Amino acid sequence: MPCLMSLISVYKGILVDERIRKGDHLLQIMLALEDVFEGFCSTCMTECQPPLGAESSSRLSCLLDLLEVLVALRIELKLNVSLCKRVLSVILPQALNLMSVPVPYFVKKQVILVLKRCLLYKAGEDFLPSPHNLFNQQDAALDEELAVLATTLLNAVQQGWLLQVPSCGRSSSFGGANEGSEPGPDLVILGAASLSVLKALEIQFRNKACGGIGQGDAEFSEMPVYMAHLLNFLKRHLGWKEPVHFCEWVSLTFIEQDDDMLEVAKSLLQMYLHNPRLHSSTSGDENDIWKLPSHQCGMNPHCIFLLLLKNVLFDASVLLDFLISSETCFLEYFVRYLKLLKEDWPQFSLTCTFLDKSACLQVPSVANISDCPPQTVDMSRAQECSPHVDTSMVSGPKNDKQSLLSHCESSSSLGALQRLVEYDSSEDSESETSSNEPCLIIAQREGADSSYIDKQMKKLGLTSMCSAFYSTSASMQAASTTCQALGIQRQSAQCLVDLQEAISRLHRKKLFPYNPSALLKLLSHVCALSKG
């Protein structure tokens, strides 16, 4: 343990201090370890026999820390040293076997997190002063080592490795001695395992695409297999109930980790774009949308984007925060998605219609109505709760949106929405927020019958068929076609328009951190399609 901790401290110091890198101290230390390190790691990972004491568990955890530091050295300094190279291609693949070994939960969780960070080129992100700069670096050897790790992981997934990944309750001890846990699965380990599998898939498909023409069918034939393993793994831990919309897995799993959620969205979009059969056209009927392979695999980019908007209450300021932040890949993902949206608008519209009708029909049973929180919820969730609700109209200026959100955020899946930029406070915001915008607030009220909601909806000029859902089977079919209070397409389009205006306003004042001209051009094109 003292030797491992000393090595970690020295390697971290070399990574953080550029002055030390100039000497040959690092190579001297590494060359002295090359002959014994791989055997030491193999011994530590294979001799985990129960009962595993606290010292052995701590040694394993410390070893995993050292492996991540070595990968960080490999990426940051492009070290062509055998010790670093074999960590990715030999030692980390061996660490995957720890899932089937009776080691403590925190060790297995650390294995998954180190695996994720390595596949994302983010090894050492917790202690590096700045992220790895990969844009101008080409390292074919590093790509080959990651390809070996990705292939090993995917082979393990086919053999049921995901079923061995545990998910205990979320710890509530904040590092203390409290053994209690919050209800629900550990979303951190579920998300890390899911993202690792997706990044491994992306690496494998990218390598096949570079290998020659004619790989499309092979790629497509493998995709449903791996996604089926992943979705079954998540079903087991998330407690999904039928009917299941498979694309919801991204929002459900990464509800607390927006950076990983955007990485997943970007990876799924990349694989979708490189597999033409995944986005084959339908007959134009929204009922055929569900038959698309991308829906069956839980990776339809339109669904994922719409569910992301739904999670943030269609609030353009949250998207603006993502665009400005350097901690997520949202800019890269958003530009790629807008390019797809520009060419695939009819499918986007069909997907919106499909989601609207699905939300209308998925009314919970009477036994589950009490589960709907008695608090303000957003309109997109209103149809999924009891029809015995009190609907009222509140009109107010746009700059009152924050007061409305203060009530709605408690029901938002992302919780409190932190703002990096409060752009409504800019000088010319008054002229741009002077128009009144109606907002619907749905509040649960006991004793209200279904006719009350109908009366209130008629006052708003809307048609509510969800209340008739409980009466006859004939009305159920009518509900599927007319239950659209505020369509998701309209809300999404308005969100993009608001985002375009906010970016333009900041750009005019020279407050935007980079040149958004290309992004604004894409947004203008998409907004024009939404008005057409």
Side-chain angles (χ1 to χ4, degrees), residues 32 72 84 111 152 160 179 202 216 442 466 472 506:
C84 291
V111 171
T152 305
E179 298 297 331
E202 185 182 348
I442 308 297
C466 290
T472 62
L506 288 175

Side-chain angles (χ1 to χ4, degrees), residues 169-474:
R170 291 174 286 181
S171 175
S172 59
S173 58
F174 294 100
N178 179 17
E179 298 297 331
S181 62
E182 299 178 13
D186 186 347
L187 295 179
V188 173
I189 194 171
L190 294 184
S194 303
L195 183 51
S196 299
V197 172
L198 287 180
K199 293 304 293 186
L201 271 173
E202 185 182 348
I203 290 171
Q204 186 183 75
F205 288 173
R206 184 169 63 241
N207 291 339
K208 285 188 175 183
C210 296
I213 304 174
Q215 297 290 342
D217 291 338
E219 292 176 15
F220 176 77
S221 64
E222 295 170 358
M223 173 63 71
V225 175
Y226 294 114
M227 291 306 297
H229 282 293
L230 180 57
L231 293 173
N232 287 333
F233 162 68
L234 294 173
K235 276 185 185 180
R236 177 183 170 208
H237 292 288
L238 294 176
W240 263 345
K241 296 180 181 179
E242 300 294 340
V244 172
H245 184 188
F246 293 121
C247 298
E248 287 182 331
W249 75 270
V250 177
S251 299
L252 293 174
T253 306
F254 298 95
I255 202 169
E256 300 170 352
Q257 308 160 73
D258 52 4
D259 53 343
D260 283 354
M261 176 176 63
L262 295 172
E263 286 283 357
V264 167
K266 187 183 76 170
S267 292
L268 291 174
L269 179 60
Q270 280 283 89
M271 289 185 281
Y272 176 87
L273 295 174
H274 285 86
N275 288 270
R277 289 179 62 184
L278 285 176
H279 45 94
S280 57
S281 60
T282 62
S283 62
D285 184 358
E286 63 271 7
N287 295 324
D288 291 336
I289 286 283
W290 182 250
K291 300 176 184 178
L292 286 174
S294 60
H295 278 280
Q296 298 298 315
C297 293
M299 56 181 298
N300 183 273
H302 301 307
C303 279
I304 292 170
F305 180 71
L306 290 169
L307 291 170
L308 167 64
L309 292 185
K310 185 177 178 182
N311 277 346
V312 299
L313 301 175
F314 300 93
D315 188 352
S317 63
V318 180
L319 303 187
L320 183 66
D321 292 348
F322 286 158
L323 286 172
I324 292 176
S325 172
S326 61
E327 298 178 358
T328 71
C329 62
F330 183 71
L331 174 61
E332 183 182 358
Y333 160 71
F334 193 48
V335 169
R336 288 179 180 174
Y337 178 72
L338 288 178
K339 289 180 179 178
L340 169 67
L341 187 56
K342 186 175 68 171
E343 306 296 332
D344 202 29
W345 184 262
Q347 287 294 322
F348 174 78
S349 299
L350 284 174
T351 303
C352 290
T353 305
F354 169 75
L355 290 177
D356 282 333
K357 293 186 177 181
S358 299
C360 179
L361 287 177
Q362 290 176 2
V363 182
S365 61
V366 176
N368 294 331
I369 288 178
S370 60
D371 296 337
C372 294
Q375 55 194 357
T376 304
V377 299
D378 62 285
M379 189 61 200
S380 59
R381 297 289 297 175
Q383 303 296 350
E384 299 177 16
C385 296
S386 168
H388 307 297
V389 292
D390 182 8
T391 307
S392 58
M393 173 68 77
V394 177
S395 298
K398 252 186 194 177
N399 53 16
D400 286 337
K401 180 174 62 177
Q402 298 300 328
S403 62
L404 173 62
L405 282 176
S406 65
H407 299 286
C408 295
E409 282 173 354
S410 59
S411 65
S412 170
S413 58
L414 290 182
L417 304 175
Q418 298 296 327
R419 303 294 193 272
L420 293 178
V421 177
E422 294 293 348
Y423 62 87
D424 278 341
S425 61
S426 60
E427 295 176 5
D428 57 348
S429 62
E430 183 178 356
S431 61
E432 299 184 30
T433 59
S434 59
S435 60
N436 291 341
E437 181 181 69
C439 300
L440 285 173
I441 297 179
I442 308 297
Q444 200 171 22
R445 191 182 77 170
E446 296 182 0
D449 59 18
S450 59
S451 61
Y452 186 84
I453 181 77
D454 290 330
K455 294 176 182 178
Q456 298 301 317
M457 295 292 275
K458 286 178 181 178
K459 292 179 181 178
L460 305 178
L462 303 172
T463 304
S464 172
M465 294 298 296
C466 290
S467 58
F469 183 81
Y470 290 91
S471 56
T472 62
S473 59

